[in-house]
Amino acid sequence: MLSSTAENLFWMARYMERSENTARLLTGLYHMSLLPARRGAQAGLWEGLFQSEAERNAYLAKYDAFKTDPVLTYMVLDRENPSSIRSCVWSARENVRATRHVLTTDMWETINSTWLDIAKTTYADMQDMGHHEFLEWIKVRSHLFRGVAHGTMRRGEAFEFWRMGVFIERAENTIRLLAARAHTFKPTGPISREDTATLDYYQWGTLLRSVNAYKAYREIYKSQIDPRRVVELLTLNEEIPRSVMACVEEICQVLEGLRPRSRCFEQSRDLLNRLQSARIERVYRTGMARFLEDYRAGLHDLSLQIQKDFLMIQ
């Protein structure tokens, strides 16, 4: 397979997965913004969406405050924001178009119809439909595309590069979600203060629902929501499809099948070993924020190494 084709497949998967992850994140934040909170908390909630100074500055160049309507407009429909859902779907479609010779007609028709619908959507349309309903529609279109890929693609190198893009993007997103709340983790003492316990419950519950893990949490822990258990579930539990462990295991399987002696396969095995040997109590003692940042950097390095090994990028 040509490296350019592999690259298009890899990024096609990442952009489509990113659009769904953004929809999931915005859904959670939107519901949290509706909860009663102290003055100024809502602005802090939306500002937390922008984790780097560059992202915040790009947003503030267009809007003067972090409020629901402008943030949703910027993150869903802004054509100049490369991270918006609209931009991600457009980028995914462009990558599908460039690789139509190795993909099925159903995949092209699915992504093309999604793009045509979102390209003509305005913020007024989104309000008419309902914010929650519109973001759910994005998720459904991503599910449909993934289902069509699974149901129609031949199991070969093209399919494996698509899988690899999905799971790298998904693992990075789960870490990003947890890192956004890393400042609230406490190595010892009570989990929540009495005056913030209710808000913590709803916020961590919303985070679990945003990755479809709320029901699994209840089944496994059978207790009230504990931030430490949430982190354990979403990083170290291999049974949760969006946990970091589950995603890294999938990446290892793909790389072992494609090129078991490559540098990127060694890196993926190292990342998996680090997770398998980790214990949540030890992670808390050494610092959750540092653990998440180190692991996010490891995934980023793995993504770069994959591009060097397979996509001819130096």
Side-chain angles (χ1 to χ4, degrees):
M1 177 186 293
L2 293 174
S3 62
S4 58
T5 302
E7 183 176 10
N8 285 324
L9 291 165
F10 181 73
W11 284 104
M12 168 193 78
R14 293 201 64 162
Y15 283 125
M16 205 59 199
E17 183 72 18
R18 193 173 297 176
S19 71
E20 179 184 338
N21 291 334
T22 302
R24 288 178 176 277
L25 180 59
L26 292 174
T27 300
L29 290 174
Y30 177 70
H31 285 291
M32 279 193 276
S33 74
L34 301 178
L35 296 173
R38 66 183 184 279
R39 192 172 183 179
Q42 189 181 100
L45 184 72
W46 287 117
E47 185 175 0
L49 185 64
F50 304 90
Q51 295 186 12
S52 72
E53 195 65 28
E55 290 174 337
R56 278 192 289 274
N57 290 339
Y59 173 83
L60 291 172
K62 291 194 170 191
Y63 304 100
D64 57 3
F66 293 96
K67 296 180 180 177
T68 302
D69 289 352
V71 168
L72 286 177
T73 302
Y74 184 72
M75 291 304 299
V76 175
L77 300 174
D78 194 312
R79 65 183 63 198
E80 296 175 0
N81 174 15
S83 301
S84 73
I85 291 174
R86 185 186 193 279
S87 296
C88 289
V89 173
W90 179 83
S91 297
R93 176 180 177 269
E94 290 303 296
N95 282 286
V96 173
R97 185 164 65 172
T99 50
R100 287 184 67 176
H101 59 289
V102 296
L103 299 178
T104 64
T105 302
D106 287 351
M107 289 182 71
W108 165 252
E109 291 178 349
T110 301
I111 190 72
N112 193 46
S113 63
T114 300
W115 163 248
L116 293 175
D117 285 340
I118 200 170
K120 64 185 180 185
T121 299
T122 65
Y123 191 71
D125 295 330
M126 193 162 66
Q127 284 181 307
D128 289 344
M129 188 175 179
H131 294 118
H132 173 81
E133 289 74 12
F134 182 82
L135 294 169
E136 284 295 311
W137 175 78
I138 294 292
K139 287 164 57 180
V140 168
R141 296 303 300 186
S142 175
H143 293 173
L144 178 62
F145 183 73
R146 193 161 54 242
V148 169
H150 263 287
T152 63
M153 280 185 81
R154 183 179 71 82
R155 271 37 177 178
E157 287 187 341
F159 183 75
E160 296 302 331
F161 276 105
W162 170 76
R163 283 184 65 208
M164 192 156 54
V166 168
F167 289 113
I168 284 185
E169 186 68 30
R170 190 175 292 180
E172 288 188 350
N173 179 68
T174 300
I175 290 178
R176 194 178 302 123
L177 284 173
L178 293 172
R181 291 194 55 76
H183 63 284
T184 66
F185 298 142
K186 302 170 186 175
T188 59
I191 296 164
S192 298
R193 298 198 318 264
E194 287 187 10
D195 59 331
T196 62
T198 302
L199 185 60
D200 283 350
Y201 169 81
Y202 283 112
Q203 289 188 342
W204 285 104
T206 300
L207 190 152
L208 283 170
R209 289 187 180 90
S210 72
V211 291
N212 281 19
Y214 184 83
K215 186 172 183 291
Y217 181 94
R218 290 298 193 191
E219 289 173 348
I220 294 171
Y221 296 108
K222 305 182 190 310
S223 63
Q224 72 177 50
I225 295 177
D226 175 344
R228 300 173 198 184
R229 296 300 178 210
V230 174
V231 174
E232 183 179 55
L233 187 79
L234 296 183
T235 53
L236 306 181
N237 193 310
E238 62 187 8
E239 297 176 343
I240 306 301
R242 291 183 176 275
S243 78
V244 181
M245 176 80 86
C247 294
V248 175
E249 283 185 341
E250 295 278 359
I251 295 167
C252 284
Q253 289 176 14
V254 170
L255 291 174
E256 186 173 20
L258 286 173
R259 195 179 296 175
R261 295 183 179 178
S262 61
R263 174 66 186 140
C264 56
F265 176 63
E266 292 177 9
Q267 285 186 224
S268 68
R269 286 298 311 176
D270 178 61
L271 288 174
L272 183 60
N273 291 338
R274 284 166 57 186
L275 283 178
Q276 289 173 335
S277 62
R279 296 293 178 269
I280 197 68
E281 293 78 11
R282 192 168 62 201
V283 169
Y284 269 108
R285 284 197 299 272
T286 56
M288 178 57 71
R290 191 174 74 179
F291 170 78
L292 292 171
E293 183 53 40
D294 287 348
Y295 210 85
R296 179 160 59 178
L299 279 171
H300 179 69
D301 290 343
L302 173 61
S303 177
L304 293 178
Q305 191 62 46
I306 289 170
Q307 293 176 68
K308 288 178 182 176
D309 288 350
F310 292 103
L311 312 182
M312 306 297 287
I313 295 175
Q314 302 301 317

